[in-house]
Amino acid sequence: MKKIVNIPRGTQDILPKESKKWQYIENHLRKISENFCYKEIRTPIFELTELFARGVGDTTDIVQKEMYTFLDKGNRSITLRPEGTAGTVRSYIENKLFADTIKPQKLYYIGPMFRYERKQKGRYRQFFQYGVEVIGEESEKIDAEVISLAYNIYKSLGIENIKVSINTLGNPEERNEYNRALINHFKKEIHNFCEDCQNRLEKNPMRILDCKVDTKKELMKNAPKLLDFLGEESKKYFKKVLSYLDDLKIKYEVDPNLVRGLDYYTHTAFEIMIDNKDIELKTLCGGGRYNGLIKMLGGPEEEKGIGFALSIERLLLALESENIELNINDKIDIYVVSVGEEANEYSMKLTNLLRIHGFKAQNSYFDKKIKAQMKMADRYKAKFSIIIGEEEIKDKKVTVKNMENHNQESIKIENLMNYLEEKIKGE
Ligand code: HAM
């Protein structure tokens, strides 16, 4: 036997048993999105590399270390999307969605993203993000709505142990001033910090606060706080967002060290964390406002945006560790059992007819003993089985068996669809 080719590291196969859960979650996400009046946008899985370098930020871990980038046959640098915001904003600008009569545009997406990260439970190299972006206008109400949408997703699935961590990153001028203060604060001791932090000092000092290695250092604990650098406008905006969250009864905690790993954020930034000791990566979801991004990618300056994204993988892990079972229906309606050549041939036609009538139906492909066929009906979790033998063919009848209570009835072919309609669809 030849050596098998394995799946690439950091990716997963979603097998039929699991894909039912994925479909359930995806349908749930679509339903909630529609309830909040968001519409789906589908952008390419790969984009020109420059989009992410400009959009996500040259100094971020994503752009520096994690992108799947290659030259295509036309010598263009292409990158598999590491996240959905940059592509959505690109599409918004390129397709002039800002000229639409509905403002802001409320968009959502579901699809695979790619980051070359260290594999861990909850961290993959291909993962599926659901995200939303609200682009065009700015209002504290929009920020609160976006956070409440994220919060509702978990709550509506029964995940109770969650908390919103929230911070404001101010406007670009306030951030610049804050960054200068951080450089002054860290520079004398920076040689004692990890290599990443040393690199971040000049390029992106706020990210030092996000370091997972040097968290215990004294300089980290007494670092200047961004809140002290905010002007009145930014403070007022943040306060209003928080008061809307209070109105919506959303549990949150202001975390002045929350800086997020992407460069485009301004003002509101948030993450949703799960409080469960069995989960290693507790951040289920993250997002925030990105007022400068539309301009940075060539769009109109006055356009503002906010959004968040979560991965379906982490959502499923959260459900599992909270012992929440999804209400998944993997039953079929009818399994058709047939004995004898004529009945076998007829079973194929009948199954086809049942499917056209909207029933989930399967027949036995092989002329096996009735017992073996009934066993298969059980494995398929059929609600009913239809049994056809020579006699049934002769009398133009079939036997319909309720697989739960084992009741059997003989039904004329001409009445079969109505009978099943009543029994199955009328349930
Ligand atoms: P992010 O924080 O990089 O933000 O990712 C958002 C979420 O995607 C994370 O909270 C996590 O659930 C999931 N995620 C990220 N990387 C992985 C991975 N390697 N494996 C599994 N799940 C992962 C963004 O991507 C921003 N685009 C969010 C946003 C939208 N901000 C504004 N709009």
Side-chain angles (χ1 to χ4, degrees):
M1 271 215 287
K2 290 208 171 142
K3 192 171 163 270
I4 63 164
V5 180
N6 294 114
I7 192 169
R9 202 175 159 73
T11 64
Q12 304 188 92
D13 292 319
I14 297 154
L15 301 174
K17 224 175 177 177
E18 284 294 302
S19 66
K20 275 274 166 198
K21 290 188 197 160
W22 281 72
Q23 285 170 1
Y24 182 99
I25 295 293
E26 283 165 10
N27 290 339
H28 189 76
L29 292 169
R30 286 180 195 283
K31 179 78 179 72
I32 292 202
S33 308
E34 302 282 335
N35 288 353
F36 275 73
C37 302
Y38 286 69
K39 292 192 178 142
E40 189 181 16
I41 184 163
R42 298 187 189 202
T43 62
I45 283 175
F46 58 84
E47 298 269 2
L48 295 178
T49 304
E50 190 191 345
L51 176 72
F52 303 112
R54 253 210 269 168
V56 175
D58 264 336
T59 60
T60 57
D61 283 354
I62 294 182
V63 172
Q64 290 207 330
K65 305 183 196 159
E66 297 168 1
M67 294 205 305
Y68 281 88
T69 298
F70 56 94
L71 286 181
D72 72 4
K73 292 194 191 339
N75 241 4
R76 296 170 205 94
S77 181
I78 298 288
T79 293
L80 300 185
R81 61 183 186 191
E83 57 101 54
T85 310
T88 304
V89 171
R90 178 206 46 73
S91 173
Y92 178 86
I93 299 168
E94 209 168 341
N95 295 294
K96 299 194 175 50
L97 295 187
F98 46 78
D100 198 286
T101 46
I102 292 185
K103 268 200 147 186
Q105 288 281 300
K106 298 174 46 162
L107 309 166
Y108 79 90
Y109 47 84
I110 303 181
M113 308 288 161
F114 306 85
R115 296 185 193 175
Y116 192 82
E117 292 201 79
R118 195 170 50 79
K119 184 181 173 286
Q120 194 181 348
K121 201 165 180 193
R123 181 181 284 135
Y124 308 95
R125 292 182 177 169
Q126 173 178 281
F127 57 99
F128 286 76
Q129 265 191 352
Y130 158 83
V132 311
E133 312 295 346
V134 183
I135 317 177
E137 308 272 4
E138 180 178 34
S139 150
E140 299 91 338
K141 278 192 190 153
I142 298 177
D143 296 31
E145 180 194 277
V146 165
I147 296 169
S148 81
L149 167 55
Y151 193 73
N152 261 297
I153 288 170
Y154 298 102
K155 285 276 177 177
S156 61
L157 287 166
I159 303 173
E160 293 292 334
N161 288 329
I162 52 164
K163 178 185 79 187
V164 176
S165 274
I166 188 166
N167 191 18
T168 175
L169 304 177
N171 65 31
E173 293 79 50
E174 291 155 356
R175 268 174 71 162
N176 284 345
E177 209 182 310
Y178 178 56
N179 275 332
R180 278 195 291 275
L182 285 177
I183 294 176
N184 276 336
H185 176 78
F186 284 112
K187 76 178 170 207
K188 274 181 258 124
E189 292 286 329
I190 197 69
H191 54 275
N192 292 326
F193 281 66
C194 74
E195 203 184 318
D196 277 342
C197 283
Q198 295 185 22
N199 290 333
R200 285 167 182 157
L201 183 70
E202 290 298 331
K203 291 189 196 138
N204 197 348
M206 262 168 71
R207 295 272 293 129
I208 296 179
L209 302 174
D210 208 24
C211 177
K212 306 282 179 283
V213 185
D214 294 313
T215 43
K216 299 229 158 56
K217 291 218 162 59
E218 203 50 38
L219 274 193
M220 275 300 210
K221 290 184 198 151
N222 58 26
K225 297 276 176 270
L226 179 57
L227 282 175
D228 298 328
F229 290 75
L230 295 181
E232 278 317 305
E233 285 273 301
S234 298
K235 279 189 193 154
K236 209 171 115 204
Y237 190 93
F238 190 47
K239 248 174 106 178
K240 191 77 192 161
V241 174
L242 297 184
S243 88
Y244 280 131
L245 296 183
D246 289 331
D247 292 345
L248 295 169
K249 306 249 175 316
I250 291 174
K251 231 168 59 185
Y252 65 83
E253 207 172 271
V254 176
D255 175 1
N257 282 341
L258 182 96
V259 294
R260 307 273 303 125
L262 302 93
D263 270 359
Y264 45 60
Y265 294 111
T266 54
H267 297 287
T268 314
F270 72 99
E271 288 181 345
I272 293 185
M273 324 289 286
I274 183 159
D275 185 15
N276 182 316
K277 62 175 176 17
D278 298 335
I279 293 195
E280 225 176 308
L281 294 168
K282 303 209 180 326
T283 308
L284 298 182
C285 151
R289 183 159 277 292
Y290 46 82
N291 287 349
L293 182 63
I294 296 101
K295 183 181 170 205
M296 199 147 55
L297 294 177
E301 179 165 6
E302 62 284 4
E303 298 284 311
K304 311 279 164 67
I306 182 169
F308 73 84
L310 60 86
S311 69
I312 300 183
E313 287 84 352
R314 286 197 199 170
L315 176 53
L316 287 167
L317 282 175
L319 286 166
E320 195 187 313
S321 47
E322 295 281 296
N323 294 318
I324 297 167
E325 291 279 337
L326 300 174
N327 186 13
I328 285 171
N329 174 14
D330 58 351
K331 289 187 174 163
I332 70 162
D333 295 321
I334 304 147
Y335 192 88
V336 182
V337 171
S338 55
V339 186
E341 207 177 314
E342 236 184 304
N344 270 337
E345 277 169 20
Y346 179 65
S347 87
M348 175 106 181
K349 271 196 283 187
L350 179 63
T351 308
N352 192 43
L353 214 60
L354 289 166
R355 289 169 178 165
I356 289 167
H357 266 78
F359 295 110
K360 275 200 221 172
Q362 179 61 44
N363 60 319
S364 170
Y365 297 123
F366 307 104
D367 190 5
K368 289 201 174 141
K369 291 219 168 73
I370 216 169
K371 205 170 156 201
Q373 294 190 42
M374 290 308 272
K375 209 176 201 174
M376 197 55 101
D378 277 332
R379 286 190 190 144
Y380 265 99
K381 300 193 186 133
K383 295 177 196 160
F384 288 86
S385 59
I386 289 179
I387 303 152
I388 324 167
E390 275 165 31
E391 211 166 299
E392 277 87 358
I393 292 281
K394 203 168 74 222
D395 298 344
K396 296 202 170 15
K397 279 180 171 175
V398 292
T399 302
V400 181
K401 180 175 178 182
N402 182 322
M403 298 296 283
E404 230 168 66
N405 60 21
H406 302 287
N407 286 344
Q408 274 187 205
E409 280 187 76
S410 177
I411 308 289
K412 281 200 169 142
I413 294 285
E414 65 209 59
N415 298 332
L416 181 64
M417 292 302 163
N418 281 343
Y419 175 87
L420 292 172
E421 199 78 44
E422 208 172 285
K423 290 274 178 200
I424 295 172
K425 296 198 181 154
E427 268 181 348

